Amino acid sequence: MRRIVALSGGVGGARFLRGLVRATDPKGITVVGNVGDDVDVLGLHVSPDLDSILYALAGVSDDERGWGRADESWTAFGEAGRLGGESWFQLGDRDIGLHLVRTQALGRGEPLSTVTARLVSAFGLDVALLPATDDELRTWIDTPAGSFPFQEWFVARRHRDDVDRVRFEGEETARPAPGVLEAIAAAELVVICPSNPFISIWPILAVAEIREALERRNTPAVAVSPLVGGRAVKGPADRMLDRLAGGTEPVRVATCYPGLVDALVFDESDAEGAGAVERLGIRPVVARTLMRDEAASRALAETVLASV
Ligand code: GDP
Ligand code: CA
């Protein structure tokens, strides 16, 4: 069994993890998930990225919509909206079932990591899924139009504003969730999933002890680029890289993870960027990175496993 730690955001990370659990023994995998996106909706604690991972690995995600659960219905959400409740952040009925369980657990003082572990076993998964932190760590987006809590910018404003800066409220005091540092210390491979560097991976690295443990690692680390042909498959990663990292070539993704990666896997359509990655002292690995289906995810995971 190969012991692997994977840092992941939501959908892009989850797509990759679906391949990783088929390419290697899932019992060896610890996923460290982003919680900077967590949000309170209608009194429910929603952890969108942890849930995208849970749903994808359990095979119950809606891949067409790109988020949430398959076979979803919207009765509770529709009724809440009709009664004047919050309606900017959609929650399906099945999804709400999970949020009720989580919210009740948190309300009686259970840490997020504990309730997440219960959800993992309720879905019958073999991986460990740990939130980066049990503490409150929230992503804020500074834009020319003002500063917004992450979901207000992403969902309510449809990430239309350019991003000047990403901040993480609570980062000074956030501690790694139990098991994160142990998993990093025991890992034979660290993988940074093809997630948005700024809003999915940076909030994990904002937990100082996690970043330090990864800087000190004595095991190889590989990142997978979320860009294909210099464009995000979905979402604002390309715009953000352009504005915050100076471009969308593979090397710009690498510069988001200084001292944290030994190899970068990126798409064959971006192959001309290999030299610049190499000049950073990072091994460039060119592959097909578009995960159209499970077979493509698995092939990409196998490339990552063979890359170092
Ligand atoms: P979120 O939290 O749901 O936004 O998900 P992530 O941050 O984990 O993933 C978003 C990123 O996944 C986007 O930047 C996409 O470009 C990337 N992504 C989605 N599908 C694919 C794919 O098939 N291949 C690659 N390389 N990246 C992908
Ligand atoms: Ca997310």
Side-chain angles (χ1 to χ4, degrees):
M1 187 177 79
R2 197 158 171 199
R3 275 178 293 205
I4 298 169
V5 166
L7 312 190
S8 177
V11 173
R15 267 186 201 160
F16 174 78
L17 292 169
R18 215 154 63 161
L20 188 65
V21 296
R22 284 164 179 85
T24 185
D25 186 345
K27 293 194 178 69
I29 301 173
T30 300
V31 180
V32 179
N34 169 39
V35 292
D37 297 14
D38 284 22
V39 63
D40 185 285
V41 184
L42 291 162
L44 302 176
H45 183 107
V46 182
S47 296
D49 287 6
L50 299 181
D51 296 345
S52 292
I53 296 165
L54 282 171
Y55 295 157
L57 293 182
V60 299
S61 53
D62 188 313
D63 298 333
E64 234 158 85
R65 197 187 319 116
W67 54 272
R69 290 199 56 161
D71 294 321
E72 189 56 287
S73 56
W74 306 89
T75 308
F77 173 75
E79 189 63 9
R82 207 179 60 78
L83 297 172
E86 280 178 273
S87 59
W88 63 283
F89 194 99
Q90 288 175 270
L91 297 176
D93 295 326
R94 289 178 189 278
D95 203 20
I96 286 172
L98 184 153
H99 303 319
L100 288 169
V101 171
R102 172 191 289 132
T103 304
Q104 185 188 35
L106 295 174
R108 62 177 175 236
E110 214 173 287
L112 181 60
S113 55
T114 307
V115 61
T116 303
R118 284 202 285 120
L119 295 169
V120 165
S121 57
F123 277 110
L125 305 179
D126 288 326
V127 302
L129 173 60
L130 306 176
T133 180
D134 280 332
D135 300 324
E136 191 154 312
L137 179 103
R138 293 291 174 271
T139 301
W140 281 78
I141 306 293
D142 293 346
T143 81
S147 290
F148 303 102
F150 178 77
Q151 297 294 0
E152 195 175 322
W153 171 73
F154 195 80
V155 175
R157 298 178 68 84
R158 296 165 201 258
H159 50 76
R160 64 172 176 263
D161 319 274
D162 284 334
V163 178
D164 293 325
R165 191 172 160 228
V166 180
R167 290 182 289 122
F168 308 103
E169 187 183 356
E171 67 176 338
E172 299 81 8
T173 49
R175 303 283 324 273
V180 173
L181 296 180
E182 293 81 351
I184 293 171
E188 292 151 76
L189 175 67
V190 173
V191 182
I192 300 181
C193 291
S195 293
N196 186 310
F198 306 102
I199 52 183
S200 288
I201 304 299
W202 279 14
I204 301 173
L205 301 174
V207 180
E209 289 169 82
I210 297 182
R211 174 183 281 274
E212 286 156 17
L214 292 170
E215 284 168 351
R216 284 195 315 262
R217 74 192 179 281
N218 40 29
T219 192
V222 189
V224 184
S225 171
L227 301 187
V228 175
R231 302 295 303 267
V233 178
K234 203 181 163 194
D238 46 6
R239 275 177 68 203
M240 295 181 81
L241 274 158
D242 220 11
R243 196 168 161 93
L244 299 174
T248 58
E249 308 88 345
V251 70
R252 313 291 181 165
V253 176
T255 59
C256 292
Y257 306 129
L260 298 175
V261 294
D262 305 294
L264 179 74
V265 179
F266 52 90
D267 197 72
E268 54 190 16
S269 58
D270 299 307
E272 72 277 8
V277 173
E278 202 153 28
R279 284 192 290 280
L280 271 191
I282 294 171
R283 181 195 298 185
V285 179
V286 175
R288 284 196 182 173
T289 71
L290 191 62
M291 298 174 283
R292 278 181 214 290
D293 52 29
E294 231 161 72
S297 296
R298 180 180 178 153
L300 179 57
E302 279 164 356
T303 300
V304 167
L305 292 172
S307 67
V308 284

